């Protein structure tokens, strides 16, 4: 199986590191160096590349900013590739280029595949690419929530499938319970709202407004209010066009146009131009007749009844009263009708509260029963996985010079009268079930199992961490593991066994270890030395791969503090030979 590999990191102006390149390779890489040389900056740099918190204190004194650049080869189809492409990143010959800059003022910028991205995108990639274990990360295993997550991760689909169903039911139960509480606790407010809506709807229904009625009435009121003037104007205009019966001698437009038309008609056969004008005069005469007829009809039909005007104004006043109350958009009667439609729907909803409360109560009780059954399934799956996990980790601890240590899990629930029923009793529940999961360690025969926070020393906890990761590697491998001082507090045979287990882990993943133990470093496929220059900084040449004689000298220094000690050299050579033979 092709795995992701962290190939290279360039670190500039970070802590004691001025400018250095860390070249890594698949398999097991050990990073060594004297105390204070900057080994831990390797872990810090990777943390920044993977979305860790930026801190201005990391920037080297005198520098404007610190820069970390990394190159990670990722196989086609990996989820990290898909997420990176979603963020607009482009691959560089099958590799992801990641960059993180931290200014001396504490500002931070991130780039992925040549594109500027939020730091959170890098953190999302971290889950699929690298598992970091430092002194602070190790403490995470002491949290009960992390221990439950570890067990669930180990259990795989046996827990993931019922947990997915449980999570869906849990979310629905929360939504149903929230709605039920909202309806019952706000019953009085909702009743008041219903009364207000009912009053408004009754008021509108009493008036019975029609769409567009306000516009029509406004036009009618304008016409009725000026009826006399309109009638007079229509009469005068009609007389001008068709003549006044009371004035036979008067001249009107219709008579004049008719005379002009007759004059041209008499000679139209002699000239085409006059014939055309005669035709146009004929059309004018017809048009004048039509207009005169309509004016006569208008004057006859015009309603000047003051009672009708009063009725129109009264209706307009009723509509205006509704508009003032229920029109919030300035659209008149149309807005009033829209309010009535919305309010009727809302009133149906409010009036159905009692029925809705009954429906929600039934659904809530059914969901609680379903949740109890799913919680029991989760408990059963976790209990079965816990037994297998404990046996596997215990076996690994035996290989890490803890042959009498025993690891176990305690899976318990807390009684809660408001909880869901599991195993015949009500217990507290949450988004991941009802179980509290705690990892216990009995370091030697006769010792009672105790939480690892209380039952394990620093060195023992380091070995428990390593044992857990070795077990995980067989079920849910992470492409790259980075251990920072995971061998703290360990020495002798236990250190050799840690080196051996790290080498085993490196057969299925890339392993990078920052270590001070030669027994661990000897098992590495590649050893990198971090060393300072005379001015106290780590330069580009300050991180180098050790081969042959150089590696023996570094292991000698780690063994005895003396690079040229013959005894230390012999021991270093023996360590390397034993590690190679073991591999």
């Amino acid at each position: 199986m092709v795995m992701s590999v962290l190939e290279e990191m360039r670190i500039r102006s970070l802590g004691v590191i001025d400018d250095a390149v860390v070249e890594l390779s698949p398999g097991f890489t050990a990073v060594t160096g004297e105390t204070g040389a900057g080994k831990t900056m390797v872990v810090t740099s990777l943390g920044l590349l993977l979305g860790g918190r930026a801190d201005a204190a990391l920037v080297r004194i005198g520098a404007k900013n610190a820069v970390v650049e990394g190159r990670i080869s990722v196989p086609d189809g990996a989820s990290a590739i898909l997420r990176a492409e979603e963020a607009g990143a482009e691959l560089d010959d099958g590799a992801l280029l990641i960059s993180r800059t931290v200014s001396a003022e504490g500002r931070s910028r991130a780039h992925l595949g040549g594109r500027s991205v939020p730091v959170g995108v890098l953190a999302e990639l971290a889950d699929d690419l690298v598992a970091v274990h430092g002194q602070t990360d190790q403490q995470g295993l002491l949290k009960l929530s992390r221990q439950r997550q570890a067990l669930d991760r180990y259990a795989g689909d046996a827990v993931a499938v019922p947990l997915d169903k449980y999570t869906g039911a849990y979310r629905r139960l929360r939504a149903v319970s929230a709605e039920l509480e909202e309806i019952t606790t706000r019953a009085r407010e909702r009743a008041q709202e219903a009364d207000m809506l009912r009053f408004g709807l009754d008021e509108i229904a009493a008036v019975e407004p029609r769409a567009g009625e306000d516009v029509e009435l406004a036009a009618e009121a304008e016409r009725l209010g000026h009826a006399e003037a309109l009638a007079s104007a229509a009469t005068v205009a009609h007389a001008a066009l068709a003549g006044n019966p009371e004035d036979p001698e008067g001249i009107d437009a219709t008579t004049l146009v008719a005379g002009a038309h007759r004059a041209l008609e008499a000679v139209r056969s002699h000239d085409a131009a006059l014939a055309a004008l005669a035709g146009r005069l004929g059309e004018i005469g017809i048009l004048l007749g039509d207009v005169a007829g309509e004016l006569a009809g208008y004057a006859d039909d015009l309603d000047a009844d003051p009672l009708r005007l009063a009725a129109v104004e009264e209706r307009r006043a009723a509509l205006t009263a509704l508009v003032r109350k229920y029109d919030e958009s300035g659209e008149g009667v149309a807005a009033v009708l829209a309010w009535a439609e919305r309010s009727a729907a809302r009133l149906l909803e409010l009036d159905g509260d009692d029925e809705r409360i009954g429906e929600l109560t039934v659904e809530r009780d059914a969901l609680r029963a379903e949740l109890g059954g799913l919680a029991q399934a989760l408990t059963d799956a976790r209990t079965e996985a816990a037994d297998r996990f404990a046996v596997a980790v215990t076996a690994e601890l035996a290989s890490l010079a803890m042959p009498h240590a025993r690891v176990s899990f305690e899976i318990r629930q807390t009684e809660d009268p408001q909880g869901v029923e599991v195993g015949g009793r009500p217990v507290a529940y949450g988004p991941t079930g009802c179980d509290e999961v705690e990892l216990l360690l009995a370091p030697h025969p006769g010792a009672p199992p105790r939480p690892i926070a209380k039952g394990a020393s620093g060195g023992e906890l380091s070995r428990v961490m390593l044992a857990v990761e070795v077990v995980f590697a067989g079920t849910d491998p992470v492409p790259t593991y980075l251990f920072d001082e995971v061998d703290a507090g360990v020495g002798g045979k236990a250190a050799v066994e840690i080196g051996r287990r790290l080498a085993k882990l490196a057969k299925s993943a890339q392993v990078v270890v920052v270590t001070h133990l030669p027994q661990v470093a000897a098992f590495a496929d590649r050893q990198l030395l971090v060393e300072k220059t005379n001015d106290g900084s780590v330069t580009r040449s300050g991180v180098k791969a050790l081969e042959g004689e150089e590696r023996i000298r570094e292991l000698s220094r780690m063994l005895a503090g003396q690079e040229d000690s013959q005894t230390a050299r012999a021991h270093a050579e023996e360590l390397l030979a034993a590690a190679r033979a073991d591999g």
Side-chain angles (χ1 to χ4, degrees):
M1 179 180 179
V2 179
M3 302 292 289
S4 302
V5 175
L6 176 61
E7 297 178 344
E8 180 181 279
M9 285 196 302
R10 183 176 183 185
I11 309 167
R12 286 178 285 175
S13 302
L14 186 73
V16 299
I17 299 180
D18 179 24
D19 188 349
V21 176
V22 180
E23 295 181 353
L24 302 169
S25 62
F28 181 3
T29 299
V31 181
T32 64
E34 293 185 0
T35 301
K39 302 187 299 299
T40 299
M41 286 297 104
V42 174
V43 180
T44 301
S45 300
L46 184 57
L48 287 173
L49 284 182
L50 299 176
R53 187 176 66 86
D55 187 347
L58 296 173
V59 181
R60 184 171 172 79
I61 296 176
K64 293 182 178 180
N65 52 48
V67 180
V68 183
E69 299 168 312
R71 179 183 179 89
I72 302 178
S73 66
V74 185
D76 293 338
S79 58
I81 288 288
L82 299 178
R83 181 64 187 94
E85 290 177 344
E86 288 176 1
E90 296 181 0
L91 294 182
D92 179 28
D93 193 21
L96 273 177
L97 301 182
I98 305 176
S99 173
R100 185 82 181 275
T101 303
V102 182
S103 71
E105 292 78 29
R107 293 189 299 273
S108 169
R109 296 197 312 273
H111 289 81
L112 177 66
R115 295 293 183 92
S116 177
V117 296
V119 173
V121 173
L122 302 187
E124 291 177 23
L125 294 178
D127 293 337
D128 296 322
L129 295 176
V130 180
V132 180
H133 293 299
Q135 291 300 299
T136 55
D137 303 283
Q138 178 169 295
Q139 300 305 310
L141 189 63
L142 304 182
K143 298 178 181 178
L144 297 186
S145 61
R146 288 285 294 274
Q147 293 175 21
R148 181 197 52 74
Q149 291 170 9
L151 178 58
D152 289 355
R153 174 182 161 195
Y154 176 79
D157 287 346
V159 165
V161 173
L163 181 57
D164 183 60
K165 295 179 181 178
Y166 176 94
T167 301
Y170 177 80
R171 289 174 178 166
R172 178 58 187 161
L173 176 59
R174 284 179 61 86
V176 168
S177 299
E179 185 178 355
L180 188 57
E181 182 178 2
E182 192 268 343
I183 292 176
T184 53
T185 57
R186 292 186 54 201
R188 177 176 297 179
E189 294 177 19
R190 295 167 74 89
Q192 291 174 346
E193 182 185 357
D195 288 343
M196 181 196 73
L197 294 177
R198 197 172 286 110
F199 175 83
L201 289 171
D202 289 344
E203 190 173 25
I204 293 172
V207 176
E208 295 183 335
R210 291 184 295 102
E213 184 181 5
D214 49 344
V215 176
E216 296 173 4
L217 289 174
E220 185 177 1
E222 183 72 12
R223 186 170 64 254
L224 291 172
H226 298 82
E228 293 184 4
L230 293 172
S232 175
T235 301
V236 171
H238 178 270
L241 294 177
N244 187 346
E246 298 179 359
D247 184 13
E249 302 297 326
I251 301 175
D252 58 82
T254 301
T255 301
L256 291 174
V257 170
H261 181 250
R262 285 194 302 273
L264 294 181
E265 279 291 317
V267 296
R268 65 177 298 166
S269 60
H270 304 301
D271 183 37
L274 282 181
L277 291 174
R280 292 169 63 186
L281 280 174
E283 293 174 359
I284 292 173
I286 294 171
L287 181 62
L288 287 175
D290 290 343
V291 172
E294 290 185 21
L295 284 171
Y298 177 85
D300 291 340
D301 295 339
L302 186 63
D303 186 2
D305 184 0
L307 294 178
R308 174 57 186 167
L309 177 60
V312 169
E313 293 295 354
E314 183 179 353
R315 180 66 177 174
R316 291 185 69 199
L319 294 177
T320 300
L322 292 181
V323 168
R324 287 198 189 100
K325 284 187 177 182
Y326 305 108
D327 176 16
E328 298 178 353
S329 59
E331 297 178 1
V333 169
V336 173
L337 293 173
W339 183 92
E341 184 177 356
R342 292 194 307 272
S343 298
R346 175 61 174 164
L347 187 59
L348 284 175
E349 179 183 333
L350 293 172
D351 285 344
D353 274 359
D354 291 341
E355 181 179 350
R356 182 60 177 157
I357 288 174
E359 293 173 352
L360 290 173
T361 300
V362 170
E363 184 177 5
R364 181 198 61 190
D365 293 344
L367 284 169
R368 287 174 63 86
E370 180 185 0
L371 216 57
L374 291 170
Q376 183 65 64
L378 278 174
T379 299
D380 294 342
R382 283 171 176 152
T383 300
E384 189 277 332
D387 293 339
R388 290 187 290 111
F389 192 21
V391 169
V393 174
T394 297
E396 287 298 327
L397 289 177
S399 301
L400 295 173
M402 295 178 66
H404 304 298
R406 294 291 179 271
V407 168
S408 60
F409 277 98
E410 181 183 3
I411 300 177
R412 59 182 179 268
Q413 295 85 30
T414 302
E415 289 199 25
D416 182 355
Q418 304 301 317
V420 297
E421 187 169 318
V422 178
R425 61 194 182 105
V427 297
Y429 65 100
T432 59
C434 301
D435 302 321
E436 294 178 27
V437 176
E438 188 161 28
L439 186 60
L440 307 178
L441 175 69
H444 52 80
R450 302 182 65 196
I452 57 172
K454 301 176 181 178
S457 65
E460 288 170 340
L461 183 57
S462 298
R463 281 175 275 176
V464 172
M465 279 290 300
L466 180 55
V468 167
E469 288 296 6
V470 170
V471 171
F472 276 157
T475 58
D476 184 19
V478 175
T480 299
Y481 293 91
L482 180 59
F483 293 93
D484 179 22
E485 304 287 354
V486 74
D487 48 19
V490 179
K493 182 179 179 181
V496 172
E497 292 300 334
I498 285 179
R500 183 174 287 118
R501 306 319 285 171
L502 288 168
K504 177 183 177 182
L505 185 59
K507 294 183 183 299
S508 60
Q510 182 184 31
V511 176
V512 181
V513 178
V514 177
T515 182
H516 67 282
L517 292 181
Q519 297 94 328
V520 173
F523 278 89
D525 302 310
R526 179 182 180 88
Q527 184 170 346
L528 300 179
L529 174 64
V530 180
E531 57 183 357
K532 291 182 181 179
T533 59
N534 292 333
D535 65 358
S537 67
V538 177
T539 63
R540 178 180 289 272
S541 61
V543 179
K544 61 181 180 179
L546 302 179
E547 300 288 348
E549 177 64 23
E550 288 183 325
R551 187 170 184 186
I552 292 174
R553 285 172 59 85
E554 171 63 6
L555 289 174
S556 299
R557 181 198 64 77
M558 296 171 73
L559 281 163
Q562 300 176 4
E563 299 175 351
D564 299 321
S565 167
Q566 292 303 314
T567 301
R569 284 179 59 83
H571 192 183
E573 292 173 349
E574 182 181 354
L575 278 176
L576 279 174
R580 288 167 182 164
D582 188 86

